Amino acid sequence: MDFTKMPDGLVPVIVQDAQTGQVLMLGYQNEEALLKTQQEGRVTFFSRSKQRLWTKGETSGNFLTVVSMHPDCDQDALLILATPDGPTCHRGTTSCFEQPEQQAYPAPAISFVAELERLVQRRHRFPEEEPKSYTASLFRKGIPKMAQKVGEEAVETVIDAVAGNREGLQGEAADLLYHLLVLLTASGLSLENIVEVLRQRHSTISQGVRREE
C-alpha cells in the first residue's frame, strides 16, 4: 500500500463479507493499522475521531476475521474479505449500509443463509448466551438426535414434493436446511466445505464436457 499518496497517511478500507459478498463497512488504515491487521488476522482501523488504532469488535466482541486482502490498482485503497463474528454496525445490523428498521434492498437468499449459519455456529460456541433456544437444545442432545431430525425433515420434504404440496414443501425444505446447518456445525463442517465439494464436482464435469466437445 502507498500511504504517502494521502496527506493524512490514511487509505480507505472496504470490508466485504467473504461468504455473502455484502459490503459491511468502510474504515481507514494507516501503515500501523494494516500491519496489526496482517499480524493478528482481525481488521484494525485507525480511528479518525479517537486518533488511535481501533480493532473492530474490541468492545462488542463482533470481530471481523480476515479471509483475504486486496489492494486496488493504484495501491491507495484496500478491499478486505472477512468473516464477521456478529453484527458489524453498532446499531445491530449486519452492515453499516443497512437501515435498522428495514433494509433498503432485500438481502440475497445466500446472504441470509450465511447469516443463519453464523447464528447457529454462535449458539454452538456460546450456548450460555441463549441456553433456552431450540438450537442450543439440539446441540445438547448430540449428533444422533440432530441426524434423526435431518432424516425426519428429509422424509417430510419428499412427501410434500411427491404430493405436489408446494406450501408444505417450502416449510419442510426450510426445516431441512436449518437442521442440516445444525448437524454440519456439530460435525465441524460448514457450508463452505460443502460448496467446495460442489465446485470440484462442477469443475470435473465441465472439463469432461469440454473434452467431449
Side-chain angles (χ1 to χ4, degrees), residues 116 134 148-181:
L116 179 60
Y134 176 65
Q148 178 186 338
K149 288 297 296 182
V150 170
E152 291 173 356
E153 301 302 343
V155 170
E156 291 172 0
T157 298
V158 170
I159 291 173
D160 278 328
V162 172
N165 182 2
R166 293 186 59 187
E167 183 176 351
L169 176 59
Q170 291 181 73
E172 297 302 340
D175 289 341
L176 175 59
L177 179 56
Y178 160 75
H179 286 94
L180 181 58
L181 288 176

Side-chain angles (χ1 to χ4, degrees), residues 36-43 64-67:
K36 184 176 174 67
T37 298
Q38 292 170 328
Q39 290 176 338
E40 298 183 358
R42 287 175 169 172
V43 180
L64 294 169
T65 302
V66 176
V67 174

Side-chain angles (χ1 to χ4, degrees), residues 25-204:
M25 67 176 297
L26 168 70
Y28 294 86
Q29 286 185 339
N30 59 9
E31 193 167 0
E32 187 180 3
L34 175 60
L35 181 61
K36 184 176 174 67
T37 298
Q38 292 170 328
Q39 290 176 338
E40 298 183 358
R42 287 175 169 172
V43 180
T44 293
F45 299 103
F46 181 84
S47 172
R48 294 177 297 171
S49 58
K50 300 175 182 177
Q51 286 295 297
R52 65 170 178 84
L53 296 187
W54 165 63
T55 299
K56 178 68 182 74
E58 63 184 25
T59 301
S60 66
N62 298 330
F63 296 101
L64 294 169
T65 302
V66 176
V67 174
S68 59
M69 305 175 71
H70 309 272
D72 79 337
C73 56
D74 294 322
Q75 296 289 308
D76 57 5
L78 183 65
L79 172 65
I80 297 180
L81 301 184
T83 301
D85 286 340
T88 298
C89 185
H90 68 279
R91 302 169 302 172
T93 54
T94 300
S95 167
C96 291
F97 296 96
E98 294 175 2
Q99 297 300 316
E101 299 82 9
Q102 184 177 7
Q103 294 184 13
Y105 302 98
I110 189 61
S111 175
F112 176 77
V113 172
E115 287 184 38
L116 179 60
E117 181 183 39
R118 281 196 290 268
L119 176 60
V120 168
Q121 291 169 343
R122 189 170 185 87
R123 292 287 181 266
H124 187 240
R125 290 170 56 196
F126 307 106
E128 69 280 359
E129 288 185 347
E130 295 290 343
K132 295 183 180 180
S133 74
Y134 176 65
T135 305
S137 72
L138 283 175
F139 286 126
R140 286 194 296 271
K141 292 174 181 177
I143 287 182
K145 180 61 177 178
M146 292 177 238
Q148 178 186 338
K149 288 297 296 182
V150 170
E152 291 173 356
E153 301 302 343
V155 170
E156 291 172 0
T157 298
V158 170
I159 291 173
D160 278 328
V162 172
N165 182 2
R166 293 186 59 187
E167 183 176 351
L169 176 59
Q170 291 181 73
E172 297 302 340
D175 289 341
L176 175 59
L177 179 56
Y178 160 75
H179 286 94
L180 181 58
L181 288 176
V182 173
L183 180 61
L184 288 173
T185 299
S187 302
L189 295 171
S190 68
L191 281 177
E192 182 58 34
N193 299 127
I194 310 309
V195 170
E196 183 56 34
V197 174
L198 292 174
R199 287 195 188 104
Q200 293 173 0
R201 291 178 180 175
H202 175 71
S203 176
T204 301

